[in-house]
Structure formats: C-alpha cells, structure tokens
Amino acid sequence: MLITNQVDSCIISIPHPDDAKLIIDLYVYNKSKPKIKVDIVNGSPLIQIDMSLEAKVSSYDSTSNFSDRKLTEQISESANQYIKNMLSNYLYKMSKEYTVDIDDFGKYCLYHFATVQDFNDYGWKDHFKDSFFQVYVNTNILSSFLLTGV
C-alpha cells in the first residue's frame, strides 16, 4: 500500500544496525507520492519505483543513544535496505508467482503505445510476469523525543 500511496502510515520493525538481535520499530509514511516509471526493454516491462519516506522511531532498546547522528543515519540506511528488500520480494512474487498486476503498473506503461488497442495488442497481462523491478527507497528519520532524549 506504500507503493500505491493508499496507506497513511504503518509500523515496521527493522534490525538494529549495531545488533541484529535487537529490533527497532519505525512509524513510517510516504513523504511524497512514490514515483513510478515503466519502460519496455527487449519486450519486457522494467518498473522503477522511487520512494521517499519519513519515519519516527517508536520503540527501541534503552541502551542506544538516538541523539547520535551517526546512529540515526545507520537506522535510515537499515530501513532503506529492509524496505527495498521487502518491496522487491513482494513485487517479484506478484509478477512471477501470481502473475497479477494488483498495483496497476500497466497504467504507467500506456504512454509507450499510440492507442489503447496497441496496448491491448501488446498484452500487458501476459508480459507482466516478465517484469523486472528497480526499487529505490530513501527514508528520512525525523527527530522526535526518542531521538533527542528530551
């Protein structure tokens, strides 16, 4: 739902950057609507998704110093990688295993075709299973009382 901008916010749990046994819960939401671009490369869809997210730490272990800028940058990078992996896994599962475009990426492909009939002749539903994805995630950890120690 983050991809289609149909959720206001969600909580995700990511591994702590310094200790994978620890978990950090993040309150995450889209900073702006995700940018989606679809190209046709050698007959197959290449779907690029660029997401700009904001997050607040909602729970953490008490030994971490969240006022340390280096740690917040590490959390941001950890969140980027975690979300990118989760979205990529989801997208490939939808395209390869279920072969269904539930996120409606086909509408971003329409401009490649002169008419709707040309699009229909291309057979988006048949080609979607051959899609490749490039997911870019930029998560900005916002300061909050948890981060500033106030």
Side-chain angles (χ1 to χ4, degrees), residues 109-122:
C109 186
L110 287 172
Y111 78 92
H112 289 288
F113 302 93
T115 66
V116 172
Q117 186 58 49
D118 290 343
F119 176 74
N120 290 338
D121 291 344
Y122 168 71

Side-chain angles (χ1 to χ4, degrees), residues 51-146:
M51 301 189 70
S52 182
L53 305 173
E54 290 190 337
K56 293 181 182 178
V57 176
S58 63
S59 71
Y60 61 96
D61 74 295
S62 60
T63 61
S64 295
N65 179 9
F66 286 93
S67 61
D68 178 7
R69 186 70 188 145
K70 182 180 175 193
L71 180 57
T72 59
E73 289 172 3
Q74 289 174 333
I75 293 169
S76 177
E77 186 53 42
S78 183
N80 291 343
Q81 194 60 46
Y82 180 84
I83 295 167
K84 177 183 176 177
N85 289 342
M86 290 294 111
L87 292 176
S88 293
N89 290 341
Y90 158 78
L91 292 165
Y92 279 107
K93 186 173 200 109
M94 288 299 110
S95 67
K96 306 294 185 215
E97 189 174 327
Y98 296 117
T99 65
V100 62
D101 180 14
I102 64 172
D103 296 303
D104 203 18
F105 293 120
K107 70 182 178 186
Y108 298 97
C109 186
L110 287 172
Y111 78 92
H112 289 288
F113 302 93
T115 66
V116 172
Q117 186 58 49
D118 290 343
F119 176 74
N120 290 338
D121 291 344
Y122 168 71
W124 174 258
K125 290 181 181 183
D126 294 328
H127 281 88
F128 181 68
K129 69 181 179 335
D130 301 324
S131 294
F132 294 92
F133 299 92
Q134 293 178 336
V135 179
Y136 305 98
V137 178
N138 181 24
T139 307
N140 180 34
I141 304 296
L142 298 175
S143 57
S144 69
F145 70 95
L146 293 174

Side-chain angles (χ1 to χ4, degrees), residues 11-58:
I11 302 279
I12 63 167
S13 299
I14 64 169
H16 192 290
D18 293 333
D19 185 352
K21 294 179 207 161
L22 300 175
I23 298 296
I24 298 173
D25 292 328
L26 298 176
Y27 175 82
V28 178
Y29 53 94
N30 280 318
K31 181 177 180 180
S32 59
K33 185 177 178 180
K35 294 178 179 104
I36 299 172
K37 180 181 177 190
V38 178
D39 287 317
I40 305 296
V41 178
N42 296 327
S44 297
L46 171 62
I47 301 170
Q48 298 172 324
I49 303 167
D50 190 355
M51 301 189 70
S52 182
L53 305 173
E54 290 190 337
K56 293 181 182 178
V57 176
S58 63

